[in-house]
Amino acid sequence: MDNSARADAGLEAPFIRQYNRYRKSMTNSRIKRLLSGCLSLAFLWACSPDKQNTASTWPTFGHDVSNSKFSALTAIDTANVTQLKEAWRFEDSTDGGGVYFNPVMMDNRVIGLMPSNKLVAMDAATGKRLWEFAPDSSDISNWSKGMTYHAGNPDRIFLISGGTLYSINAENGTVMKDFGHNGRVDFYEGLEVTDAMRAQVAVSSNAPGVVYNDLFIVGCKVPDELPSTPGDIRAFNINTGKLEWVFHVIPKPGEFGADTWSPNARERNGGANCWGGMALDEKRGIVFVPTASPSFDFYGADRPGQNLFANCLLALEAKTGKRIWHFQTTHHDLWDRDNGSPPNLVTVKRDGKAIDAVALVTKMGFLFLFDRETGESLFEVKEVPVDTVSRMPGEKPWPTQPIPVNPPFARQGYQEKFFGGSSAWIKEEIAKNKYKTGIYEPPSMEGSIILPTAHGGSNWGGAAVNPQTNILFVNAIDMPWILKLTDLKKIREANQLNPEILYRTYCSSCHGADKKGGAGPDLTSRAKNYKSAQIASILRKGAPPMPSFKFLSEQQIAAIAAYVRDTVAQQSFETAGIPENNEPYGFNGYNFYLDPENHPAIAPPFGTLTAIDLNTGNIVWQVPLGEDLRFKKMGIPNSGTFNRGGGIATAGGLIFIGATDDNMLRAFDQRTGKVLWEYQLPGMASSIPSTYAIGNKQYVVVSVNGEQANNFKGGYIAFAIP
């Protein structure tokens, strides 16, 4: 992609020019020689008898415990990827919605979670159902991206659904009755949530854990708003389900880091949990854990201080849970910039030496890189002074934030050079409303425009790494937010009951003004299958990534539920025992900042895919990811789109990624970022693909969301070369 094309796509910026200079310094012949040699080695490795099984499977989330998202298979490559055809599909039996699962393939079985929350094993060659496991009914919504497969005798699957941890026989889908109580462990075990608080504090998991020796190490998902609970990291015995150790992410009095909170933080605050997934250095016995922001995300007057170990990359001793080192990527987070991307274990070259490192991509569009043993940053990081003037009562923003000197892979701050065709309107709006537009402006009720946002930069899809070239590939969102804090007391007192106004205020930014979806699922038909009480329960508790709206009154919740279902609001559903959220402030929801034409108020691309050289931190290439047909019709191609999910890399020189809201699955050339193949899916692939081989045939499989307009209930679609 030349400079003029970059400018047309909205990518031109000072750091982009730096990328271009870097690319010109690398000759095509050099890249081809490097990749050719790597592919040859990969082919030999994949075909050697003692490595065939490992190379042919996809044994866990992200492929392996290092979270490389890399496969050594080469049967599908840059020369023949255009021949890919759909090989099979497995669709849910009921109307489904989102499915975010990275499917596992072991012993010729593809195992995936369905939109209906059933775990299904499918024949890897045909997609035929082999077994099905239905978790116990639960009103805690799942947003699960994976389960943990452990090879043993027999092979076990560790799955968290709702508030229960299951151990499941991978061969037949039955529970392992020797684990916990009849194959189940209460997933609240080891967390400080009283029985009386369980109705208000939903605890589950939307990411897999890792197995180290006889320990299953896992994070959890806890409410982003209050009341919540600290999302402590726990280890369970894989055979018995017994709790073995707990690491306190909000330290107890006397523990390291306790002085970075108020004295009663564990009783008052919550969060700091791991919801993005982990990486394990088996040789060193170190588990690397990214943690989330504290609860409540956007207002921190009740949690003064730096707030360790929220927003950290933690290195824990896997055997005991003891902290080895930590690095905090955002101090006293007020922007929901939790670390939702799982880390990648890599080996980089410095001064002719190989250094085992851990990489972390963030919502801020930063790449951090650390020595695995010491936590030393391998790219310089500067503590940069930021705005500390808050308009919110009692708020004390932290005076500095850590910013690495290597180039970011997402635009930083809502700057005029990014405004594009709506520039005049944007400048007028900023001046009229006095919006702040920097990257670390404290939130306020007046509002600020945030870029990058809580959606990313990078989000839970994280990065893939080709260890043979040391190139990291990461997708990102480049769309601004309008963030406003709200006075919840006034909202409750006003008790505005107009259903359409309530829906447009709190729901339309994700589900669309017409209820047909966008960043969130289509509600036009699916919601009619729910009772008002079910929708009301979802609104109160949230359904990740949707936040809880329990600060609204029961009348307001009923009005929204009725509007979604096209019915008259009824007050007959049970509300006893669910108290009102009495917190002083909330926020206006995950609202992208749109121009008068309802387009993102920024020049495209709205989503990108970036290749980064891990040895230097420099960007090799960056291209738009996704296609917004509205802009294509206006003569603006390659606009990029909102994206949620991630990609994988293969030794065949390819990156496979769905993630975009144009419902496409694409294959990119690792050398250039060129799209080599694309396929129109019946729904959005808000997930990470997997690839595996049966005999000499390589498959690529991806989970796909249900979409009523295409009469698709959600499930899995596999591709192969006939």
Side-chain angles (χ1 to χ4, degrees):
M1 190 177 193
D2 62 20
N3 287 347
S4 61
R6 285 184 182 277
D8 289 343
L11 282 168
E12 190 60 27
F15 63 85
I16 293 295
R17 291 192 288 272
Q18 184 177 350
Y19 309 160
N20 290 338
R21 289 195 294 271
Y22 175 76
R23 285 189 63 197
K24 291 176 182 178
S25 71
M26 299 180 64
T27 64
N28 287 335
S29 59
R30 176 188 168 197
I31 296 174
K32 289 178 181 178
R33 286 197 304 271
L34 175 64
L35 197 57
S36 175
C38 290
L39 296 185
S40 299
L41 288 172
F43 180 79
L44 292 172
W45 184 80
C47 293
S48 61
D50 60 333
K51 294 290 186 181
Q52 180 65 49
N53 187 53
T54 301
S56 298
T57 60
W58 192 275
T60 191
F61 176 85
H63 185 267
D64 47 60
V65 291
S66 70
N67 194 49
S68 69
K69 301 193 188 76
F70 174 79
S71 171
L73 294 174
T74 58
I76 303 171
D77 59 23
T78 57
N80 63 19
V81 67
T82 56
Q83 300 174 38
L84 272 182
K85 304 292 183 184
E86 184 174 325
W88 57 260
R89 68 170 60 187
F90 186 92
E91 191 171 350
D92 212 344
S93 57
T94 59
D95 283 335
V99 54
Y100 308 91
F101 213 75
N102 175 220
V104 164
M105 188 285 204
M106 289 288 285
D107 294 330
N108 295 334
R109 293 188 296 259
V110 172
I111 302 173
L113 192 69
M114 304 302 292
S116 59
N117 269 4
K118 293 179 180 178
L119 194 70
V120 176
M122 299 154 275
D123 183 284
T126 66
K128 179 182 177 181
R129 182 173 59 187
L130 301 176
W131 56 254
E132 178 180 284
F133 173 77
D136 302 332
S137 60
S138 172
D139 62 353
I140 300 176
S141 300
N142 257 43
W143 187 49
S144 185
K145 303 184 292 291
M147 48 78 175
T148 306
Y149 192 105
H150 176 62
N153 188 20
D155 290 2
R156 293 178 180 236
I157 294 169
F158 296 101
L159 174 72
I160 297 102
S161 182
T164 303
L165 164 62
Y166 298 87
S167 179
I168 302 165
N169 188 319
E171 295 178 3
N172 55 31
T174 60
V175 295
M176 306 292 293
K177 295 186 177 181
D178 57 344
F179 180 83
H181 178 69
N182 195 28
R184 299 160 174 84
V185 166
D186 182 353
F187 200 55
Y188 284 82
E189 179 73 22
L191 301 179
E192 297 169 357
V193 181
T194 65
D195 290 343
M197 289 292 291
R198 288 197 180 202
Q200 301 174 62
V201 180
V203 174
S204 190
S205 177
N206 49 16
V210 295
V211 174
Y212 176 75
N213 294 337
D214 60 352
L215 297 176
F216 171 56
I217 305 168
V218 68
C220 59
K221 182 73 180 77
V222 300
D224 292 335
E225 70 291 329
L226 296 173
S228 186
T229 191
D232 295 334
I233 313 303
R234 293 167 292 167
F236 297 88
N237 186 284
I238 62 172
N239 299 305
T240 66
K242 178 185 176 183
L243 182 68
E244 298 287 357
W245 59 252
V246 179
F247 177 83
H248 299 131
V249 293
I250 298 178
K252 291 189 172 183
E255 294 180 337
F256 182 91
D259 59 350
T260 66
W261 297 82
S262 57
N264 63 341
R266 285 189 65 85
E267 290 73 40
R268 166 65 184 169
N269 302 112
N273 51 302
C274 174
W275 65 268
M278 307 173 178
L280 174 68
D281 185 328
E282 294 178 291
K283 180 180 177 181
R284 293 177 173 85
I286 303 175
V287 59
F288 297 93
V289 182
T291 60
S293 51
S295 305
F296 168 56
D297 305 69
F298 301 101
Y299 178 64
D302 62 337
R303 49 177 173 88
Q306 191 176 348
N307 300 153
L308 295 176
F309 294 97
N311 302 87
C312 282
L313 179 62
L314 285 164
L316 304 180
E317 185 177 83
K319 183 178 180 180
T320 65
K322 179 182 178 182
R323 181 184 62 90
I324 300 172
W325 59 263
H326 73 275
F327 182 89
Q328 191 174 48
T329 55
T330 301
H331 310 313
H332 189 76
D333 187 10
L334 300 173
W335 307 271
D336 192 20
R337 285 174 175 151
D338 44 8
N339 292 313
S341 299
N344 307 88
L345 301 190
V346 299
T347 300
V348 299
K349 292 181 179 179
R350 287 292 174 85
D351 301 322
K353 296 180 180 179
I355 300 176
D356 288 342
V358 53
L360 182 70
V361 292
T362 72
K363 289 182 177 181
M364 285 297 295
F366 297 149
L367 167 64
F368 292 95
L369 188 68
F370 307 98
D371 183 294
R372 286 188 221 169
E373 293 186 349
T374 67
E376 176 189 0
S377 180
L378 300 180
F379 298 138
E380 183 185 358
V381 177
K382 294 183 178 181
E383 284 288 337
V384 177
V386 296
D387 187 356
T388 59
V389 179
S390 173
R391 304 175 191 176
M392 300 303 298
E395 184 62 84
K396 295 180 180 179
W398 198 258
T400 64
Q401 294 293 345
I403 298 180
V405 299
N406 47 299
F409 55 84
R411 285 177 276 193
Q412 298 294 299
Y414 193 54
Q415 303 179 54
E416 184 176 345
K417 61 185 175 182
F418 302 145
F419 291 172
S422 300
S423 181
W425 176 83
I426 292 170
K427 287 189 283 187
E428 182 180 342
E429 286 292 299
I430 290 173
K432 179 176 66 177
N433 296 290
K434 299 181 180 179
Y435 291 143
K436 292 188 175 183
T437 58
I439 60 175
Y440 283 114
E441 305 288 3
S444 67
M445 287 188 285
E446 291 78 13
S448 53
I449 305 176
I450 304 296
L451 184 73
T453 75
H455 285 300
S458 175
N459 209 298
W460 73 261
V465 176
N466 185 333
Q468 300 164 348
T469 61
N470 255 8
I471 303 296
L472 176 145
F473 307 96
V474 58
N475 55 300
I477 301 170
D478 246 337
M479 298 163 63
W481 257 22
I482 177 70
L483 172 62
K484 292 184 179 181
L485 296 184
T486 56
D487 187 326
L488 299 185
K489 183 179 179 180
K490 289 182 178 179
I491 289 177
R492 298 185 195 106
E493 290 175 349
N495 205 29
Q496 170 59 255
L497 294 180
N498 183 297
E500 184 175 359
I501 291 176
L502 287 167
Y503 174 84
R504 287 181 176 273
T505 300
Y506 297 108
C507 310
S508 64
S509 62
C510 288
H511 297 287
D514 57 2
K515 298 185 280 190
K516 293 184 178 180
D522 185 336
L523 299 176
T524 52
S525 60
R526 185 183 179 203
K528 293 179 181 179
N529 297 325
Y530 287 81
K531 296 179 179 178
S532 293
Q534 290 175 297
I535 296 176
S537 178
I538 292 170
L539 286 166
R540 292 190 206 98
K541 294 183 177 181
M546 186 187 89
S548 164
F549 292 100
K550 60 187 174 185
F551 58 82
L552 296 174
S553 70
E554 290 300 328
Q555 292 85 355
Q556 290 170 314
I557 288 175
I560 294 174
Y563 185 78
V564 167
R565 296 184 69 241
D566 291 325
T567 60
V568 176
Q570 301 292 325
Q571 295 298 306
S572 60
F573 52 84
E574 186 63 44
T575 61
I578 302 177
E580 189 179 81
N581 182 331
N582 289 315
E583 296 306 312
Y585 301 106
F587 80 117
N588 65 323
Y590 299 107
N591 293 308
F592 286 115
Y593 190 50
L594 305 177
D595 67 17
E597 283 72 44
N598 209 37
H599 298 149
I602 194 169
F606 310 127
T608 59
L609 181 66
T610 304
I612 304 175
D613 186 327
L614 286 170
N615 294 325
T616 65
N618 290 320
I619 291 181
V620 181
W621 51 255
Q622 185 178 71
V623 296
L625 176 62
E627 184 85 83
D628 189 321
L629 294 181
R630 296 174 302 173
F631 284 83
K632 189 174 183 179
K633 291 177 181 177
M634 292 187 290
I636 306 173
N638 301 317
S639 61
T641 69
F642 173 86
N643 54 90
R644 174 178 286 135
I648 63 174
T650 74
L654 297 168
I655 305 156
F656 288 100
I657 186 168
T660 52
D661 64 6
D662 58 7
N663 295 356
M664 300 295 287
L665 177 65
R666 294 178 171 89
F668 289 81
D669 189 324
Q670 288 183 27
R671 296 169 299 179
T672 64
K674 180 181 178 181
V675 176
L676 300 179
W677 172 84
E678 57 185 11
Y679 186 90
Q680 184 73 59
L681 298 168
M684 184 177 176
S686 302
S687 55
I688 300 168
S690 303
T691 187
Y692 59 87
I694 302 294
N696 294 322
K697 180 175 285 192
Q698 182 179 351
Y699 294 78
V700 176
V701 61
V702 66
S703 61
V704 182
N705 294 347
E707 192 160 307
Q708 183 69 22
N710 294 323
N711 195 30
F712 184 70
K713 296 181 174 65
Y716 294 83
I717 301 179
F719 302 86
I721 296 175

